Amino acid sequence: MPELPEVETIARGLNSRVAGDVIESVWLGTKPEPLKSPAADIVTALESKRISEVRRVGKHIVFDLENGGRASSTKKSRVEHKGARARTPAPTSDKAQWIVHLGMTGRMLVCPPGEKIEKHTHAVAKLSSGRELRFVDPRRFGRLSVSHRFEAPGSEPLKVELAGFVNLFHGRKTPIKSALLNQKLLSGVGNIYADESLFRARVRPRRRAASLTRDDLSRLYRAVREVLEEAIALGGSSISDYVDSDGEEGFFQLQHRVYGREGEPCLVCRTPVKRVVIAGRSAHYCPKCQK
DNA sequence: ACTATTTCCTGGATGC
DNA sequence: TGCATCCAGGAAATAG
Protein backbone atom coordinates (compact mmCIF):
# COMPACT_ATOMS: atom_id res chain seq x y z
CA MET A 1 0.00 0.00 0.00
CA PRO A 2 2.82 2.50 0.38
CA GLU A 3 2.97 4.01 -3.09
CA LEU A 4 5.06 6.85 -4.45
CA PRO A 5 3.72 9.63 -2.19
CA GLU A 6 3.96 7.54 0.96
CA VAL A 7 7.45 6.29 0.12
CA GLU A 8 8.53 9.84 -0.73
CA THR A 9 7.24 11.04 2.64
CA ILE A 10 8.94 8.20 4.47
CA ALA A 11 12.23 8.65 2.65
CA ARG A 12 12.28 12.38 3.39
CA GLY A 13 11.58 11.69 7.04
CA LEU A 14 14.29 9.08 7.24
CA ASN A 15 16.74 11.34 5.47
CA SER A 16 16.23 14.13 7.94
CA ARG A 17 16.66 11.78 10.86
CA VAL A 18 19.42 9.36 9.98
CA ALA A 19 21.51 10.95 7.22
CA GLY A 20 25.05 11.23 8.53
CA ASP A 21 24.60 8.44 11.03
CA VAL A 22 26.73 5.31 10.79
CA ILE A 23 25.49 1.74 10.70
CA GLU A 24 27.53 -0.12 13.27
CA SER A 25 26.00 -3.57 13.03
CA VAL A 26 23.14 -5.37 11.35
CA TRP A 27 20.84 -8.13 12.50
CA LEU A 28 18.69 -10.00 10.03
CA GLY A 29 15.84 -12.29 10.98
CA THR A 30 16.06 -15.96 10.13
CA LYS A 31 13.26 -18.20 8.89
CA PRO A 32 11.76 -17.09 5.57
CA GLU A 33 13.74 -13.90 5.14
CA PRO A 34 12.28 -11.05 3.13
CA LEU A 35 15.60 -10.66 1.36
CA LYS A 36 16.41 -10.25 -2.29
CA SER A 37 20.15 -10.26 -1.71
CA PRO A 38 22.01 -12.94 0.30
CA ALA A 39 22.07 -12.06 3.98
CA ALA A 40 25.87 -11.97 4.07
CA ASP A 41 25.96 -9.46 1.21
CA ILE A 42 23.56 -7.17 3.01
CA VAL A 43 25.50 -7.31 6.24
CA THR A 44 28.86 -6.55 4.64
CA ALA A 45 27.41 -3.80 2.47
CA LEU A 46 25.88 -2.01 5.46
CA GLU A 47 28.23 -2.48 8.36
CA SER A 48 30.54 0.42 9.15
CA LYS A 49 28.96 2.55 6.46
CA ARG A 50 27.80 6.11 6.82
CA ILE A 51 24.33 6.92 5.50
CA SER A 52 24.93 9.85 3.16
CA GLU A 53 21.36 10.19 1.95
CA VAL A 54 17.96 8.51 2.03
CA ARG A 55 15.76 9.00 -1.01
CA ARG A 56 12.95 7.46 -2.99
CA VAL A 57 13.26 5.69 -6.32
CA GLY A 58 9.95 4.36 -7.62
CA LYS A 59 8.41 2.68 -4.59
CA HIS A 60 11.84 1.87 -3.17
CA ILE A 61 13.68 3.57 -0.33
CA VAL A 62 17.36 3.94 -1.20
CA PHE A 63 19.96 4.43 1.52
CA ASP A 64 23.10 5.76 -0.14
CA LEU A 65 26.08 4.54 1.82
CA GLU A 66 29.69 5.58 1.98
CA ASN A 67 32.72 4.44 3.83
CA GLY A 68 33.47 6.51 6.84
CA GLY A 69 32.34 4.54 9.80
CA ARG A 70 35.78 3.23 10.65
CA ALA A 71 39.43 3.34 9.70
CA SER A 72 38.64 3.05 6.04
CA SER A 73 38.34 6.81 5.61
CA THR A 74 42.01 7.41 4.75
CA LYS A 75 41.91 4.90 1.95
CA LYS A 76 38.76 6.47 0.60
CA SER A 77 40.05 10.02 0.44
CA ARG A 78 43.13 8.90 -1.45
CA VAL A 79 41.06 7.13 -4.05
CA GLU A 80 38.89 10.16 -4.55
CA HIS A 81 41.75 12.60 -5.03
CA LYS A 82 43.80 10.48 -7.37
CA GLY A 83 41.33 8.61 -9.48
CA ALA A 84 38.66 11.25 -9.69
CA ARG A 85 39.05 12.32 -13.29
CA ALA A 86 41.07 9.36 -14.50
CA ARG A 87 38.11 7.87 -16.38
CA THR A 88 36.33 5.75 -13.85
CA PRO A 89 32.58 6.40 -14.16
CA ALA A 90 31.86 8.39 -11.04
CA PRO A 91 32.84 7.80 -7.45
CA THR A 92 29.20 7.61 -6.45
CA SER A 93 28.41 4.75 -8.77
CA ASP A 94 30.35 2.12 -6.86
CA LYS A 95 29.15 3.10 -3.45
CA ALA A 96 26.84 0.63 -1.83
CA GLN A 97 23.12 1.25 -1.57
CA TRP A 98 20.64 -0.37 0.74
CA ILE A 99 17.37 -0.85 -1.09
CA VAL A 100 14.15 -1.28 0.87
CA HIS A 101 10.77 -2.06 -0.60
CA LEU A 102 7.96 -1.82 1.92
CA GLY A 103 5.54 -4.08 0.06
CA MET A 104 2.10 -3.77 1.57
CA THR A 105 2.70 -3.46 5.27
CA GLY A 106 6.40 -2.76 5.68
CA ARG A 107 7.64 0.04 7.94
CA MET A 108 11.10 1.41 8.53
CA LEU A 109 11.32 2.72 12.06
CA VAL A 110 13.91 4.87 13.76
CA CYS A 111 13.89 3.67 17.35
CA PRO A 112 15.51 5.18 20.42
CA PRO A 113 17.80 2.90 22.42
CA GLY A 114 15.95 0.28 24.42
CA GLU A 115 12.65 0.45 22.57
CA LYS A 116 10.98 -2.93 22.70
CA ILE A 117 11.21 -5.03 19.56
CA GLU A 118 7.93 -5.18 17.72
CA LYS A 119 6.48 -8.40 16.42
CA HIS A 120 7.42 -9.06 12.76
CA THR A 121 10.72 -7.23 13.01
CA HIS A 122 12.90 -8.72 10.27
CA ALA A 123 15.96 -6.49 10.33
CA VAL A 124 17.69 -4.17 12.77
CA ALA A 125 20.57 -1.82 12.00
CA LYS A 126 22.29 -0.34 15.04
CA LEU A 127 23.44 3.22 14.48
CA SER A 128 26.37 4.98 16.12
CA SER A 129 23.95 7.52 17.58
CA GLY A 130 22.55 4.68 19.66
CA ARG A 131 19.31 4.53 17.73
CA GLU A 132 18.20 1.62 15.60
CA LEU A 133 16.70 1.40 12.14
CA ARG A 134 14.15 -1.40 12.21
CA PHE A 135 12.34 -3.04 9.38
CA VAL A 136 8.96 -4.37 10.49
CA ASP A 137 6.62 -6.12 8.08
CA PRO A 138 3.77 -8.40 9.18
CA ARG A 139 2.76 -9.50 5.73
CA ARG A 140 6.31 -10.04 4.48
CA PHE A 141 5.75 -8.56 1.05
CA GLY A 142 8.56 -6.11 1.67
CA ARG A 143 12.06 -6.81 0.38
CA LEU A 144 15.58 -5.82 1.36
CA SER A 145 18.53 -5.85 -1.00
CA VAL A 146 21.83 -4.17 -1.70
CA SER A 147 22.95 -2.62 -4.93
CA HIS A 148 25.52 -0.25 -6.36
CA ARG A 149 23.62 1.67 -8.94
CA PHE A 150 19.98 1.07 -8.32
CA GLU A 151 17.53 2.32 -10.90
CA ALA A 152 13.78 2.20 -11.07
CA PRO A 153 12.55 -0.44 -13.50
CA GLY A 154 10.46 2.15 -15.36
CA SER A 155 10.01 5.89 -15.74
CA GLU A 156 9.56 8.20 -12.79
CA PRO A 157 6.04 9.60 -13.17
CA LEU A 158 7.11 13.04 -11.96
CA LYS A 159 10.13 13.22 -14.27
CA VAL A 160 8.97 11.67 -17.52
CA GLU A 161 7.85 14.11 -20.18
CA LEU A 162 4.56 13.91 -22.03
CA ALA A 163 6.07 12.35 -25.15
CA GLY A 164 7.78 9.65 -23.10
CA PHE A 165 4.60 9.05 -21.16
CA VAL A 166 2.55 8.63 -24.33
CA ASN A 167 5.12 6.23 -25.69
CA LEU A 168 4.82 3.92 -22.71
CA PHE A 169 1.33 2.86 -23.71
CA HIS A 170 1.82 2.58 -27.42
CA GLY A 171 0.41 -0.66 -28.78
CA ARG A 172 -0.47 -2.06 -25.35
CA LYS A 173 -3.57 -4.18 -25.28
CA THR A 174 -3.69 -4.42 -21.51
CA PRO A 175 -6.24 -2.28 -19.63
CA ILE A 176 -4.92 1.20 -18.91
CA LYS A 177 -5.37 0.50 -15.21
CA SER A 178 -3.00 -2.48 -15.42
CA ALA A 179 -0.53 -0.49 -17.50
CA LEU A 180 -0.43 2.25 -14.85
CA LEU A 181 0.33 -0.36 -12.21
CA ASN A 182 3.10 -1.95 -14.27
CA GLN A 183 6.30 -0.79 -12.57
CA LYS A 184 8.33 -1.47 -15.67
CA LEU A 185 6.41 1.28 -17.41
CA LEU A 186 5.83 3.78 -14.62
CA SER A 187 7.56 3.26 -11.30
CA GLY A 188 5.69 4.34 -8.22
CA VAL A 189 2.02 4.33 -9.16
CA GLY A 190 -0.06 1.87 -7.16
CA ASN A 191 -3.73 1.04 -6.87
CA ILE A 192 -4.93 4.17 -5.10
CA TYR A 193 -3.20 6.68 -7.35
CA ALA A 194 -4.00 4.75 -10.53
CA ASP A 195 -7.72 4.93 -9.73
CA GLU A 196 -7.57 8.57 -8.67
CA SER A 197 -5.62 9.54 -11.78
CA LEU A 198 -8.02 7.76 -14.12
CA PHE A 199 -10.95 9.49 -12.47
CA ARG A 200 -9.41 12.91 -12.89
CA ALA A 201 -8.53 12.11 -16.50
CA ARG A 202 -12.10 10.83 -17.06
CA VAL A 203 -10.83 7.55 -18.50
CA ARG A 204 -12.34 4.16 -17.67
CA PRO A 205 -9.89 1.73 -16.09
CA ARG A 206 -10.80 -1.10 -18.46
CA ARG A 207 -9.98 0.81 -21.63
CA ARG A 208 -7.17 -0.83 -23.59
CA ALA A 209 -4.10 1.32 -23.15
CA ALA A 210 -3.57 1.52 -26.90
CA SER A 211 -7.10 2.84 -27.41
CA LEU A 212 -6.45 6.06 -25.51
CA THR A 213 -6.36 9.09 -27.73
CA ARG A 214 -3.66 11.68 -27.62
CA ASP A 215 -6.06 13.83 -25.66
CA ASP A 216 -6.88 11.05 -23.19
CA LEU A 217 -3.19 10.48 -22.60
CA SER A 218 -2.40 14.10 -22.12
CA ARG A 219 -5.19 14.42 -19.54
CA LEU A 220 -3.93 11.27 -17.86
CA TYR A 221 -0.39 12.57 -17.82
CA ARG A 222 -1.48 15.74 -16.08
CA ALA A 223 -3.77 13.82 -13.72
CA VAL A 224 -1.03 11.46 -12.59
CA ARG A 225 1.33 14.32 -11.82
CA GLU A 226 -1.36 16.35 -10.11
CA VAL A 227 -2.52 13.48 -7.92
CA LEU A 228 0.99 12.46 -6.91
CA GLU A 229 2.06 16.01 -6.16
CA GLU A 230 -1.02 16.75 -4.09
CA ALA A 231 -0.59 13.49 -2.22
CA ILE A 232 3.06 14.19 -1.44
CA ALA A 233 2.10 17.63 -0.19
CA LEU A 234 -0.39 16.01 2.20
CA GLY A 235 2.03 13.33 3.40
CA GLY A 236 0.42 10.46 1.51
CA SER A 237 -2.77 8.52 2.18
CA SER A 238 -3.29 6.97 5.59
CA ILE A 239 -5.41 3.90 5.16
CA SER A 240 -5.05 0.69 7.17
CA ASP A 241 -2.83 2.38 9.75
CA TYR A 242 -0.17 3.82 7.49
CA VAL A 243 2.03 6.36 9.22
CA ASP A 244 5.29 7.91 8.10
CA SER A 245 8.68 7.51 9.72
CA ASP A 246 7.77 10.03 12.42
CA GLY A 247 4.50 8.29 13.18
CA GLU A 248 2.54 11.04 11.45
CA GLU A 249 -0.52 10.26 9.38
CA GLY A 250 -0.97 11.50 5.84
CA PHE A 251 -4.12 13.25 4.75
CA PHE A 252 -4.56 12.49 1.09
CA GLN A 253 -7.16 9.81 1.88
CA LEU A 254 -9.51 12.71 2.52
CA GLN A 255 -9.05 13.73 -1.11
CA HIS A 256 -9.85 10.31 -2.58
CA ARG A 257 -12.61 10.74 -5.12
CA VAL A 258 -13.16 7.10 -6.08
CA TYR A 259 -10.76 4.81 -4.24
CA GLY A 260 -12.57 3.10 -1.37
CA ARG A 261 -15.84 4.87 -2.23
CA GLU A 262 -17.79 2.02 -3.85
CA GLY A 263 -21.50 2.79 -3.87
CA GLU A 264 -21.00 6.34 -2.67
CA PRO A 265 -22.03 9.19 -4.96
CA CYS A 266 -19.55 10.53 -7.47
CA LEU A 267 -18.43 13.93 -6.22
CA VAL A 268 -19.06 15.38 -9.67
CA CYS A 269 -22.34 13.81 -10.84
CA ARG A 270 -23.70 11.83 -7.85
CA THR A 271 -23.72 8.55 -9.79
CA PRO A 272 -22.68 5.71 -7.43
CA VAL A 273 -19.00 4.84 -7.73
CA LYS A 274 -18.44 1.36 -9.17
CA ARG A 275 -15.89 -1.18 -8.09
CA VAL A 276 -14.74 -3.89 -10.47
CA VAL A 277 -11.81 -6.29 -10.48
CA ILE A 278 -9.21 -5.85 -13.21
CA ALA A 279 -6.33 -8.31 -13.35
CA GLY A 280 -6.99 -9.28 -9.76
CA ARG A 281 -6.97 -5.71 -8.47
CA SER A 282 -9.92 -3.63 -7.39
CA ALA A 283 -10.64 -0.66 -9.60
CA HIS A 284 -12.95 2.18 -8.63
CA TYR A 285 -14.52 4.55 -11.13
CA CYS A 286 -17.52 6.65 -11.99
CA PRO A 287 -19.43 5.00 -14.85
CA LYS A 288 -20.83 8.33 -15.95
CA CYS A 289 -17.81 10.64 -15.74
CA GLN A 290 -15.26 8.16 -17.05
CA LYS A 291 -15.45 7.05 -20.68
C1' DA B 1 7.42 -10.21 -26.67
C1' DC B 2 3.23 -9.78 -24.25
C1' DT B 3 -0.51 -10.60 -21.43
C1' DA B 4 -3.16 -12.93 -17.88
C1' DT B 5 -3.26 -15.63 -13.79
C1' DT B 6 -1.45 -17.49 -9.61
C1' DT B 7 1.33 -17.20 -5.52
C1' DC B 8 3.19 -15.30 -1.43
C1' DC B 9 1.53 -13.59 3.64
C1' DT B 10 -1.10 -12.04 7.82
C1' DG B 11 -4.41 -9.09 10.21
C1' DG B 12 -8.79 -7.52 10.14
C1' DA B 13 -13.55 -8.07 8.80
C1' DT B 14 -17.40 -11.02 8.14
C1' DG B 15 -20.50 -14.89 8.93
C1' DC B 16 -22.50 -18.67 11.46
C1' DT C 1 -16.87 -15.89 22.14
C1' DG C 2 -14.87 -18.76 18.93
C1' DC C 3 -13.66 -20.53 14.60
C1' DA C 4 -13.57 -20.74 9.62
C1' DT C 5 -13.45 -18.11 5.49
C1' DC C 6 -12.52 -14.30 2.67
C1' DC C 7 -10.11 -10.22 1.30
C1' DA C 8 -6.45 -6.63 0.56
C1' DG C 9 -2.52 -6.05 -2.85
C1' DG C 10 3.09 -5.36 -4.99
C1' DA C 11 5.70 -7.94 -7.61
C1' DA C 12 7.68 -12.26 -8.90
C1' DA C 13 6.68 -16.65 -10.86
C1' DT C 14 4.08 -19.31 -13.87
C1' DA C 15 1.07 -20.30 -17.69
C1' DG C 16 -0.83 -19.35 -22.02
Side-chain angles (χ1 to χ4, degrees), chain A residues 172-180 194-195 198-199 202-212 274-286 290-291:
Chain A
R172 304 235 163 225
K173 284 184 267 185
T174 196
I176 185 63
K177 169 69 187 281
S178 302
L180 287 173
D195 282 2
L198 287 167
F199 174 77
R202 306 194 305 279
V203 172
R204 284 205 191 195
R206 254 200 241 279
R207 289 268 302 281
R208 304 279 138 184
S211 80
L212 269 65
K274 272 189 86 165
R275 177 183 171 281
V276 296
V277 173
I278 300 173
R281 296 286 165 265
S282 64
H284 311 73
Y285 70 99
C286 171
Q290 294 172 255
K291 306 292 182 195

Side-chain angles (χ1 to χ4, degrees), chain A residues 62-280:
Chain A
V62 176
F63 291 80
D64 288 309
L65 306 174
E66 57 185 23
N67 294 325
R70 299 263 168 230
S72 54
S73 54
T74 54
K75 184 178 68 186
K76 193 201 107 197
S77 54
R78 191 161 48 226
V79 168
E80 268 184 355
H81 284 303
K82 273 237 177 111
R85 63 175 90 312
R87 54 140 181 226
T88 41
T92 49
S93 65
D94 53 0
K95 287 180 181 172
Q97 298 171 316
W98 183 21
I99 313 301
V100 178
H101 193 297
L102 299 173
M104 283 286 296
T105 53
R107 285 178 299 148
M108 184 59 75
L109 310 174
V110 181
C111 300
E115 185 108 323
K116 82 165 202 295
I117 301 271
E118 248 184 80
K119 199 178 172 186
H120 305 300
T121 299
H122 306 303
V124 176
K126 280 189 187 294
L127 305 176
S128 55
S129 62
R131 299 173 302 171
E132 292 180 353
L133 267 173
R134 296 184 190 166
F135 177 64
V136 181
D137 183 17
R139 214 169 292 181
R140 293 174 182 271
F141 279 10
R143 289 292 178 267
L144 307 179
S145 60
V146 290
S147 175
H148 287 277
R149 52 189 73 189
F150 181 77
E151 285 177 33
S155 303
E156 279 285 339
L158 294 176
K159 286 185 185 161
V160 69
E161 293 183 31
L162 176 60
F165 182 86
V166 168
N167 226 0
L168 295 175
F169 306 104
H170 184 255
R172 304 235 163 225
K173 284 184 267 185
T174 196
I176 185 63
K177 169 69 187 281
S178 302
L180 287 173
L181 293 179
N182 184 344
Q183 302 298 298
K184 294 191 175 81
L185 301 179
L186 279 182
S187 296
V189 177
N191 214 33
I192 296 173
Y193 299 103
D195 282 2
E196 293 299 315
S197 300
L198 287 167
F199 174 77
R200 293 196 189 193
R202 306 194 305 279
V203 172
R204 284 205 191 195
R206 254 200 241 279
R207 289 268 302 281
R208 304 279 138 184
S211 80
L212 269 65
T213 64
R214 173 91 200 177
D215 205 49
D216 290 331
L217 286 169
S218 109
R219 289 199 314 278
L220 184 57
Y221 175 73
R222 284 201 308 276
V224 168
R225 298 180 68 97
E226 193 180 282
V227 162
L228 294 176
E229 277 166 3
E230 283 178 29
I232 291 170
L234 293 178
S237 300
S238 282
I239 58 173
S240 56
D241 67 43
Y242 159 82
V243 289
D244 73 14
S245 67
D246 299 321
E248 298 292 327
E249 288 183 8
F251 293 98
F252 192 73
Q253 68 280 6
L254 303 174
Q255 305 298 321
H256 292 178
R257 300 182 188 173
V258 284
Y259 185 86
R261 297 192 64 246
E262 181 186 10
E264 293 175 43
C266 169
L267 299 173
V268 172
C269 72
R270 316 306 291 173
T271 302
V273 170
K274 272 189 86 165
R275 177 183 171 281
V276 296
V277 173
I278 300 173

